[in-house]
Amino acid sequence: MQGRSNSAQQNMLSDLYPLTPQRSCSQTPLLKRTPSRATLSISQSSKKKRRFSIPNFEFEATELRASPASEAAVEETDADRFLAVRGSTTLPLNTTPRTNRVAKSFGLVDDRVLNCGETSATPAQTKVRSILRRCASELFNTPRTTSAISAKSNLAVRKQFIMALDGPGISLNLFASPMAWSHSNCIGVAFKLNVYFQNLDTRVIVRLCGVPAADGMVHSVDWGGTANPHILALGTTCGIVQTWDSLTQMQITDWSDDDSPVGGIHWNGNMLAVGRKDGRVSLFDIRSPRQVERVEGHRRHVIGTKWSPDGRCLATGDQSGSVHVWDMRAGGHVTANDRKVLMKHEGPVKAISWAPWQNGLLATGGLFPDGKIQLWNINKSNSPLTIPTETNVTALHWSPHCKEILSTHGLSWEPWHVIRRAEPPAKQAPRTPFSNSMTVHAYPSCDKIVSVNAHSAPIGHACIGPDGCSIFTVSPVEETIKMFKVWSAPAGKGKDDEGMSYKCAIR
């Protein structure tokens, strides 16, 4: 019965697929295979015979016989990876004259597509497949576009300053804050015993005030923010604190009952925070003739003060590197997870900046021997993000329009100076990518976006404009003040910088 069945199948296959006279298809492996549905349907239905046109195929026993070694190990081939390789199949694909015409029109008639077997691809075919696969992968890749707000589209494109001011006599003290930019677009600068300001809209330069030599040099200045844009506060090295009206050029208040030298100062509405050398922070109200409150917690000179954008918290940094955050409504330190928020640098901290678009995000920068930028979240007690620079970090400013932060830098130092805690040499200091530069970093990746050598000498201080796009930097050694456009404001915001002069003098 087995022999008769095999003979019948052989006769059926010979009727459907006549073989060539030179070759025979009577091998045992072929005859033992089970007929497919296509064969049965063709042999049983006369209607389907008229619809199918199957070409002649030549079968060889050597191609159909599977070796034991090929079943044990899988070998890499050059066949198309999107088609299954069936080298031992006994039947062809169900092709018709119509499918052949369609395949030819699309260029698919070749031995790789219609004959699912392994063929050796030529180098030209391999190259074409690589090109096609690369083109297909590019369709799924979304190209990154640079935002027009980012510093990569502004400062990185034009690295030159757009305004320069002469600044002879600016304090060389690294802890000083001798420059501020008002919301009425006036730049105020302290020159030894005097304070000058220039209206950047009218270009008028005015000497606002001066202090006696007995009161010390003007150490820090700051404008009154959005609440009092025409009021400027100054503090001297002998503890004098005064406020002046730039419109009338008249003195408003004089808080001179404290002889402790002034450090950093910053406005919050009608409240002025003043850091002192003995570690105190004095709080003054412009409506009161005397100090209204004092905050104690530092042990060294408080050289950095900054109110949060909502006016709730005050961050202060001292000469020893300690940073405290005060909750002025609660009358004490800010706490996170029932712990005081205390931050520490290895060097003095003057540069402090709050992010205007995220509550509780604070950036601090350390001077020698620290040289690091740390990004803190005061609402969490986790470790900060750190950007090592090995230079003096003199100022920090967040962009109000995008998640980027700008830092200004001074001298750098050798690693052995940090170990010995020695003073870095002023003339022999080595240069690093951050030396005397103005650098913009991305948040939270901390990647460097652009770095510009703003001055040929160390940058002592910097202030941001009312539009949140431009920065003024000052180099006391170079005696120059420069303005750079770092960011762009979104559509409908910011001021136009066209028409600004490229060179003018403030004195």
Side-chain angles (χ1 to χ4, degrees), residues 50-75:
R50 295 194 299 268
R51 296 176 61 186
F52 286 86
S53 177
I54 303 178
N56 297 336
F57 264 69
E58 298 179 6
F59 298 92
E60 292 185 7
T62 57
E63 296 180 357
L64 301 177
R65 188 178 296 110
S67 61
S70 62
E71 297 176 358
V74 179
E75 299 181 357

mmCIF file of all heavy atoms in Angstrom, residues 50-75:
data_model
loop_
_atom_site.group_PDB
_atom_site.id
_atom_site.type_symbol
_atom_site.label_atom_id
_atom_site.label_comp_id
_atom_site.label_asym_id
_atom_site.label_seq_id
_atom_site.Cartn_x
_atom_site.Cartn_y
_atom_site.Cartn_z
ATOM 1 N N ARG A 50 -8.455 27.048 -13.962
ATOM 2 C CA ARG A 50 -8.451 28.161 -14.897
ATOM 3 C C ARG A 50 -7.892 29.432 -14.280
ATOM 4 O O ARG A 50 -7.454 30.335 -14.973
ATOM 5 C CB ARG A 50 -9.878 28.413 -15.384
ATOM 6 C CG ARG A 50 -10.454 27.274 -16.182
ATOM 7 C CD ARG A 50 -11.714 27.715 -16.915
ATOM 8 N NE ARG A 50 -12.738 28.142 -15.977
ATOM 9 C CZ ARG A 50 -13.668 27.329 -15.500
ATOM 10 N NH1 ARG A 50 -13.700 26.043 -15.854
ATOM 11 N NH2 ARG A 50 -14.576 27.783 -14.654
ATOM 12 N N ARG A 51 -7.896 29.574 -12.961
ATOM 13 C CA ARG A 51 -7.435 30.789 -12.296
ATOM 14 C C ARG A 51 -5.955 30.739 -11.962
ATOM 15 O O ARG A 51 -5.353 31.748 -11.680
ATOM 16 C CB ARG A 51 -8.227 31.004 -11.002
ATOM 17 C CG ARG A 51 -9.706 31.251 -11.257
ATOM 18 C CD ARG A 51 -10.450 31.352 -9.959
ATOM 19 N NE ARG A 51 -9.923 32.464 -9.176
ATOM 20 C CZ ARG A 51 -10.308 32.711 -7.928
ATOM 21 N NH1 ARG A 51 -11.190 31.911 -7.341
ATOM 22 N NH2 ARG A 51 -9.786 33.721 -7.271
ATOM 23 N N PHE A 52 -5.341 29.583 -11.921
ATOM 24 C CA PHE A 52 -3.938 29.474 -11.533
ATOM 25 C C PHE A 52 -3.112 29.087 -12.736
ATOM 26 O O PHE A 52 -3.501 28.226 -13.529
ATOM 27 C CB PHE A 52 -3.739 28.416 -10.434
ATOM 28 C CG PHE A 52 -4.216 28.862 -9.106
ATOM 29 C CD1 PHE A 52 -5.543 28.689 -8.736
ATOM 30 C CD2 PHE A 52 -3.349 29.484 -8.219
ATOM 31 C CE1 PHE A 52 -5.977 29.115 -7.524
ATOM 32 C CE2 PHE A 52 -3.784 29.912 -7.005
ATOM 33 C CZ PHE A 52 -5.103 29.728 -6.646
ATOM 34 N N SER A 53 -2.005 29.739 -12.842
ATOM 35 C CA SER A 53 -1.041 29.410 -13.891
ATOM 36 C C SER A 53 0.305 29.257 -13.218
ATOM 37 O O SER A 53 0.935 30.239 -12.830
ATOM 38 C CB SER A 53 -0.975 30.519 -14.945
ATOM 39 O OG SER A 53 0.009 30.227 -15.905
ATOM 40 N N ILE A 54 0.750 28.015 -13.028
ATOM 41 C CA ILE A 54 1.958 27.731 -12.270
ATOM 42 C C ILE A 54 3.058 27.358 -13.229
ATOM 43 O O ILE A 54 2.901 26.465 -14.062
ATOM 44 C CB ILE A 54 1.714 26.592 -11.271
ATOM 45 C CG1 ILE A 54 0.551 26.968 -10.334
ATOM 46 C CG2 ILE A 54 2.970 26.259 -10.481
ATOM 47 C CD1 ILE A 54 0.186 25.911 -9.344
ATOM 48 N N PRO A 55 4.181 28.042 -13.169
ATOM 49 C CA PRO A 55 5.273 27.740 -14.097
ATOM 50 C C PRO A 55 5.971 26.447 -13.708
ATOM 51 O O PRO A 55 5.773 25.896 -12.638
ATOM 52 C CB PRO A 55 6.207 28.937 -13.918
ATOM 53 C CG PRO A 55 5.950 29.371 -12.527
ATOM 54 C CD PRO A 55 4.498 29.127 -12.291
ATOM 55 N N ASN A 56 6.805 26.002 -14.625
ATOM 56 C CA ASN A 56 7.591 24.795 -14.385
ATOM 57 C C ASN A 56 8.727 25.091 -13.429
ATOM 58 O O ASN A 56 9.336 26.144 -13.472
ATOM 59 C CB ASN A 56 8.166 24.269 -15.704
ATOM 60 C CG ASN A 56 7.062 23.868 -16.662
ATOM 61 O OD1 ASN A 56 5.948 23.566 -16.236
ATOM 62 N ND2 ASN A 56 7.371 23.860 -17.955
ATOM 63 N N PHE A 57 8.994 24.135 -12.555
ATOM 64 C CA PHE A 57 10.094 24.252 -11.609
ATOM 65 C C PHE A 57 10.971 23.012 -11.703
ATOM 66 O O PHE A 57 10.471 21.921 -11.991
ATOM 67 C CB PHE A 57 9.570 24.381 -10.162
ATOM 68 C CG PHE A 57 9.485 25.790 -9.706
ATOM 69 C CD1 PHE A 57 8.548 26.655 -10.259
ATOM 70 C CD2 PHE A 57 10.333 26.255 -8.736
ATOM 71 C CE1 PHE A 57 8.460 27.949 -9.835
ATOM 72 C CE2 PHE A 57 10.258 27.553 -8.321
ATOM 73 C CZ PHE A 57 9.313 28.417 -8.861
ATOM 74 N N GLU A 58 12.234 23.210 -11.439
ATOM 75 C CA GLU A 58 13.180 22.116 -11.432
ATOM 76 C C GLU A 58 13.592 21.829 -9.992
ATOM 77 O O GLU A 58 13.986 22.739 -9.264
ATOM 78 C CB GLU A 58 14.423 22.456 -12.259
ATOM 79 C CG GLU A 58 14.103 22.708 -13.715
ATOM 80 C CD GLU A 58 15.357 23.065 -14.491
ATOM 81 O OE1 GLU A 58 16.443 22.997 -13.889
ATOM 82 O OE2 GLU A 58 15.255 23.386 -15.660
ATOM 83 N N PHE A 59 13.477 20.593 -9.603
ATOM 84 C CA PHE A 59 13.802 20.194 -8.248
ATOM 85 C C PHE A 59 15.064 19.384 -8.253
ATOM 86 O O PHE A 59 15.257 18.509 -9.110
ATOM 87 C CB PHE A 59 12.670 19.367 -7.631
ATOM 88 C CG PHE A 59 11.371 20.111 -7.513
ATOM 89 C CD1 PHE A 59 10.422 20.060 -8.516
ATOM 90 C CD2 PHE A 59 11.110 20.893 -6.412
ATOM 91 C CE1 PHE A 59 9.248 20.753 -8.404
ATOM 92 C CE2 PHE A 59 9.927 21.576 -6.295
ATOM 93 C CZ PHE A 59 8.998 21.520 -7.295
ATOM 94 N N GLU A 60 15.912 19.654 -7.324
ATOM 95 C CA GLU A 60 17.137 18.892 -7.169
ATOM 96 C C GLU A 60 17.167 18.308 -5.759
ATOM 97 O O GLU A 60 16.843 19.005 -4.782
ATOM 98 C CB GLU A 60 18.363 19.779 -7.374
ATOM 99 C CG GLU A 60 18.482 20.247 -8.817
ATOM 100 C CD GLU A 60 19.767 21.024 -9.037
ATOM 101 O OE1 GLU A 60 20.585 21.056 -8.100
ATOM 102 O OE2 GLU A 60 19.950 21.579 -10.120
ATOM 103 N N ALA A 61 17.582 17.090 -5.672
ATOM 104 C CA ALA A 61 17.588 16.415 -4.376
ATOM 105 C C ALA A 61 18.614 17.006 -3.444
ATOM 106 O O ALA A 61 18.458 16.992 -2.232
ATOM 107 C CB ALA A 61 17.852 14.917 -4.559
ATOM 108 N N THR A 62 19.675 17.557 -4.008
ATOM 109 C CA THR A 62 20.714 18.112 -3.153
ATOM 110 C C THR A 62 20.240 19.344 -2.416
ATOM 111 O O THR A 62 20.660 19.627 -1.306
ATOM 112 C CB THR A 62 21.950 18.462 -3.990
ATOM 113 O OG1 THR A 62 21.558 19.371 -5.012
ATOM 114 C CG2 THR A 62 22.546 17.207 -4.608
ATOM 115 N N GLU A 63 19.330 20.136 -3.036
ATOM 116 C CA GLU A 63 18.817 21.333 -2.391
ATOM 117 C C GLU A 63 17.743 20.994 -1.358
ATOM 118 O O GLU A 63 17.535 21.739 -0.415
ATOM 119 C CB GLU A 63 18.231 22.285 -3.424
ATOM 120 C CG GLU A 63 19.269 22.809 -4.400
ATOM 121 C CD GLU A 63 18.660 23.757 -5.412
ATOM 122 O OE1 GLU A 63 17.425 23.925 -5.354
ATOM 123 O OE2 GLU A 63 19.398 24.296 -6.239
ATOM 124 N N LEU A 64 17.059 19.874 -1.557
ATOM 125 C CA LEU A 64 15.957 19.547 -0.669
ATOM 126 C C LEU A 64 16.385 18.710 0.517
ATOM 127 O O LEU A 64 15.644 18.555 1.460
ATOM 128 C CB LEU A 64 14.867 18.792 -1.436
ATOM 129 C CG LEU A 64 14.276 19.547 -2.636
ATOM 130 C CD1 LEU A 64 13.258 18.672 -3.347
ATOM 131 C CD2 LEU A 64 13.645 20.839 -2.177
ATOM 132 N N ARG A 65 17.570 18.120 0.460
ATOM 133 C CA ARG A 65 18.043 17.257 1.534
ATOM 134 C C ARG A 65 18.671 18.106 2.618
ATOM 135 O O ARG A 65 19.643 18.816 2.374
ATOM 136 C CB ARG A 65 19.042 16.247 0.994
ATOM 137 C CG ARG A 65 19.429 15.184 2.023
ATOM 138 C CD ARG A 65 20.384 14.178 1.426
ATOM 139 N NE ARG A 65 19.731 13.425 0.339
ATOM 140 C CZ ARG A 65 20.052 13.563 -0.958
ATOM 141 N NH1 ARG A 65 20.996 14.389 -1.309
ATOM 142 N NH2 ARG A 65 19.435 12.845 -1.876
ATOM 143 N N ALA A 66 18.119 18.113 3.850
ATOM 144 C CA ALA A 66 18.625 18.915 4.970
ATOM 145 C C ALA A 66 19.723 18.159 5.666
ATOM 146 O O ALA A 66 19.600 16.969 5.954
ATOM 147 C CB ALA A 66 17.500 19.233 5.956
ATOM 148 N N SER A 67 20.802 18.838 5.938
ATOM 149 C CA SER A 67 21.937 18.230 6.630
ATOM 150 C C SER A 67 21.779 18.394 8.124
ATOM 151 O O SER A 67 21.217 19.374 8.594
ATOM 152 C CB SER A 67 23.243 18.886 6.177
ATOM 153 O OG SER A 67 23.217 20.248 6.494
ATOM 154 N N PRO A 68 22.285 17.443 8.918
ATOM 155 C CA PRO A 68 22.170 17.552 10.382
ATOM 156 C C PRO A 68 22.922 18.743 10.942
ATOM 157 O O PRO A 68 22.537 19.309 11.944
ATOM 158 C CB PRO A 68 22.776 16.228 10.875
ATOM 159 C CG PRO A 68 22.686 15.298 9.713
ATOM 160 C CD PRO A 68 22.829 16.141 8.494
ATOM 161 N N ALA A 69 24.009 19.149 10.288
ATOM 162 C CA ALA A 69 24.778 20.285 10.821
ATOM 163 C C ALA A 69 24.015 21.581 10.733
ATOM 164 O O ALA A 69 24.131 22.451 11.586
ATOM 165 C CB ALA A 69 26.105 20.401 10.065
ATOM 166 N N SER A 70 23.187 21.752 9.670
ATOM 167 C CA SER A 70 22.431 22.995 9.534
ATOM 168 C C SER A 70 21.329 23.110 10.569
ATOM 169 O O SER A 70 20.889 24.187 10.893
ATOM 170 C CB SER A 70 21.838 23.090 8.130
ATOM 171 O OG SER A 70 20.932 22.013 7.924
ATOM 172 N N GLU A 71 20.819 21.975 11.057
ATOM 173 C CA GLU A 71 19.793 22.022 12.086
ATOM 174 C C GLU A 71 20.372 22.324 13.462
ATOM 175 O O GLU A 71 19.706 22.876 14.316
ATOM 176 C CB GLU A 71 19.040 20.691 12.140
ATOM 177 C CG GLU A 71 18.299 20.378 10.842
ATOM 178 C CD GLU A 71 17.638 19.017 10.890
ATOM 179 O OE1 GLU A 71 17.811 18.337 11.919
ATOM 180 O OE2 GLU A 71 16.960 18.663 9.929
ATOM 181 N N ALA A 72 21.646 21.996 13.665
ATOM 182 C CA ALA A 72 22.241 22.205 14.983
ATOM 183 C C ALA A 72 22.671 23.627 15.201
ATOM 184 O O ALA A 72 22.627 24.145 16.309
ATOM 185 C CB ALA A 72 23.439 21.272 15.158
ATOM 186 N N ALA A 73 23.132 24.295 14.167
ATOM 187 C CA ALA A 73 23.646 25.666 14.312
ATOM 188 C C ALA A 73 23.000 26.549 13.277
ATOM 189 O O ALA A 73 22.755 26.149 12.145
ATOM 190 C CB ALA A 73 25.162 25.684 14.139
ATOM 191 N N VAL A 74 22.712 27.786 13.637
ATOM 192 C CA VAL A 74 22.116 28.762 12.736
ATOM 193 C C VAL A 74 23.223 29.616 12.148
ATOM 194 O O VAL A 74 23.996 30.234 12.886
ATOM 195 C CB VAL A 74 21.107 29.651 13.485
ATOM 196 C CG1 VAL A 74 20.517 30.677 12.542
ATOM 197 C CG2 VAL A 74 20.019 28.793 14.087
ATOM 198 N N GLU A 75 23.312 29.641 10.837
ATOM 199 C CA GLU A 75 24.352 30.404 10.171
ATOM 200 C C GLU A 75 23.781 31.710 9.646
ATOM 201 O O GLU A 75 22.633 31.768 9.220
ATOM 202 C CB GLU A 75 24.950 29.591 9.010
ATOM 203 C CG GLU A 75 25.607 28.294 9.458
ATOM 204 C CD GLU A 75 26.188 27.544 8.274
ATOM 205 O OE1 GLU A 75 26.001 28.048 7.153
ATOM 206 O OE2 GLU A 75 26.801 26.485 8.476
#
